[in-house]
Amino acid sequence: MTDEELFLALADAAEPLPVGDAAKLRLRAALDADPYLPFSSELARHFDLPAEDVRALLRKIDDPEFWIRDVSPMHGHLDFTPGPSLRPLHGGFARMLSGMRIQKHRHVHRELTYVLSGTLSDGEREYGPGEFIDMPEGSVHEVVVPEGKEALVALLSGRIHLLP
């Protein structure tokens, strides 16, 4: 049994305790100060990075100094290198404006798009915060930010071929 499995088994067996108002206020304040913190474990796992490295990257999201401005409807991006098991893939955060569309394309490499805020659609369904689109090598799709919405995503991507 792994540590995680043991922890989950203990959590399932434990009697729930009420959470005090002071603890709720501290949690809300922490989330207000660092709204992307709840995604750090998932991102660390998907991007093969230590949790502290992911938290440091997430702290850069709201600082314009770290962003590279793009042409509308792509507002900007912040690049980073994923962990060694994922090379030669690229990592990054992207701010996508309303109506942005990445035309239908085939993936030469795997692509993972993790929604941090807003909404993305792959033509079949919409994805919100905490959800991801995992496209294996050879798969085909398009990506759209629905009208009137924006999206902030974490990306793991490689080469693609645009399709007509």
Side-chain angles (χ1 to χ4, degrees):
M1 179 177 279
T2 67
D3 288 347
E4 184 176 347
E5 291 169 333
L6 178 61
F7 177 75
L8 291 173
L10 288 170
D12 285 342
E15 186 89 19
L17 297 173
V19 177
D21 290 339
K24 289 178 188 175
L25 288 172
R26 284 193 310 275
L27 177 60
R28 282 192 198 109
L31 290 175
D32 287 344
D34 197 352
Y36 309 111
L37 182 63
F39 304 119
S40 62
S41 295
E42 279 289 299
L43 291 174
R45 185 169 63 84
H46 286 298
F47 288 89
D48 186 31
L49 290 170
E52 185 52 43
D53 290 0
V54 170
R55 286 191 292 276
L57 285 168
L58 291 171
R59 285 190 289 272
K60 292 179 179 180
I61 284 180
D62 291 326
D63 188 341
E65 173 186 336
F66 296 103
W67 284 80
I68 298 168
R69 192 140 179 83
D70 287 318
V71 176
S72 186
M74 180 72 99
H75 187 262
H77 65 278
L78 187 163
D79 294 328
F80 63 86
T81 303
S85 72
L86 297 171
R87 297 201 180 111
L89 301 177
H90 304 284
F93 297 108
R95 291 189 189 278
M96 303 173 177
L97 300 176
S98 172
M100 181 180 159
R101 179 187 184 108
I102 300 172
Q103 76 182 59
K104 193 180 240 185
H105 56 278
R106 180 179 321 281
H107 291 275
V108 176
H109 300 104
R110 176 183 180 216
E111 177 184 86
L112 177 76
T113 305
Y114 192 96
V115 180
L116 296 169
S117 67
T119 305
L120 267 189
S121 172
D122 67 358
E124 294 183 21
R125 68 171 278 225
E126 287 192 353
Y127 298 83
E131 296 183 297
F132 60 91
I133 306 169
D134 194 351
M135 301 301 296
E137 187 176 308
S139 61
V140 174
H141 76 141
E142 67 180 346
V143 177
V144 177
V145 179
E147 288 296 328
K149 300 183 181 186
E150 295 185 357
L152 171 63
V153 300
L155 296 167
L156 176 67
S157 62
R159 288 189 13 217
I160 62 170
H161 291 294
L162 298 177
L163 300 175

